[in-house]
Amino acid sequence: MVAPTCRGEEPMITIHGYSPSGNCHKLRMLLGHLGREHRWVETDSAQGATRTAEYLAKNPNGKVPMLETEDGRILVESNAILVWLAEGTRYFAGDAWQRAQTLSWMFFEQYSHEPYIAVARFICGWTALDSERRKDLPRLRERGHQALAVMQRHLQDKHWFSGVSYGIADIALFAYTHCAADGGFDLSRYPAVRNWLDRVRDEPGFVAMPPISDDNKNLIAQSS
């Protein structure tokens, strides 16, 4: 757990998150860009840490990430947390139309991207080689490639998903796209997507996802 002191008048927040999770890493990325101090409580959802009575009392849905304020307020769902953290900053900027476009891509990420690319990654790296769930990989990869193709088309004549500049839609989509290879997705098929990933990494304050464990790496290496 990291517990830095609060900066100025900015209230301290606590993030309960699992570092290998793209949904949790979104928050680390935005907080890094903002330079906002926070507490991070490592919460291993893969080992049941979100199913304890204490955690479920705060978040009955039993998932990460979860944001907790100093006065005890709770906010869940990664993209909702991004919107709240980015309010009033350049990362969620523009008029009502531009902000709606940003939200449109964030909804795309949660409905058409994450359920396939993130789930394929989880199955490859966090389930046993004889797991029944591995039978779902061909379907998940087919749908994940459909999402990547949509992104590729958008990026052929645009730099960002958040309008004219980098923002929270880009952060939301980067989180699982940059590690899509873990789920068996070959990003060499999507040159515009790969160029966009490089632009994101070049943004000031960028925070890379911590390395996954050797056990996870070994499972991924044996997955097909």
Side-chain angles (χ1 to χ4, degrees):
M1 180 192 306
V2 178
T5 58
C6 186
R7 181 183 63 190
E9 297 299 318
E10 201 168 55
M12 179 60 69
I13 55 173
T14 298
I15 305 293
H16 302 260
Y18 179 45
S19 291
S21 161
N23 282 329
C24 297
H25 188 62
K26 296 172 188 178
L27 309 189
R28 264 200 170 129
M29 287 180 64
L30 179 57
L31 290 165
H33 292 312
L34 295 173
R36 180 163 181 174
E37 297 177 356
H38 60 283
R39 300 183 182 94
W40 180 277
V41 178
E42 189 66 22
T43 307
D44 191 342
S45 53
Q47 296 298 321
T50 61
R51 309 309 301 178
T52 66
E54 180 183 6
Y55 194 89
L56 290 170
K58 295 179 178 180
N59 180 7
N61 200 28
K63 294 183 179 181
V64 285
M66 176 174 72
L67 180 148
E68 190 170 6
T69 65
E70 286 184 301
D71 58 7
R73 291 177 295 161
I74 299 293
L75 184 60
V76 298
E77 299 298 333
S78 60
N79 287 352
I81 298 172
L82 284 180
V83 169
W84 185 75
L85 289 172
E87 184 65 33
T89 76
R90 61 175 288 249
Y91 299 101
F92 189 35
D95 60 18
W97 178 259
Q98 183 175 331
R99 287 158 65 94
Q101 293 294 324
T102 294
L103 292 173
S104 176
W105 280 111
M106 295 173 77
F107 295 146
F108 166 84
E109 187 267 338
Q110 284 290 281
Y111 287 105
S112 300
H113 180 284
E114 192 267 1
Y116 309 110
I117 294 176
V119 173
R121 175 178 181 256
F122 176 82
I123 291 173
C124 288
W126 281 263
T127 68
L129 293 173
D130 60 355
S131 169
E132 285 292 312
R133 295 193 66 183
R134 289 178 177 262
K135 294 178 180 178
D136 294 334
L137 284 172
R139 178 185 62 85
L140 294 170
R141 287 168 177 163
E142 178 184 3
R143 296 296 298 273
H145 277 297
Q146 291 174 10
L148 291 167
V150 171
M151 295 171 65
Q152 172 72 18
R153 287 195 294 272
H154 175 81
L155 290 166
Q156 284 175 343
D157 61 359
K158 297 178 178 64
H159 270 66
W160 306 110
F161 292 99
S162 302
V164 297
S165 60
Y166 173 74
I168 54 175
D170 299 284
I171 292 171
L173 283 161
F174 179 91
Y176 279 114
T177 302
H178 89 284
C179 56
D182 292 347
F185 296 93
D186 179 7
L187 293 183
S188 68
R189 297 166 53 178
Y190 309 101
V193 171
R194 290 188 290 111
N195 290 338
W196 164 76
L197 291 173
D198 288 340
R199 288 195 294 274
V200 174
R201 294 185 181 101
D202 287 340
E203 283 292 311
F206 172 78
V207 177
M209 180 182 282
I212 59 177
S213 73
D214 288 341
D215 288 343
N216 299 133
K217 291 178 183 177
N218 290 335
L219 282 170
I220 289 168
Q222 297 177 76
S223 300
S224 59

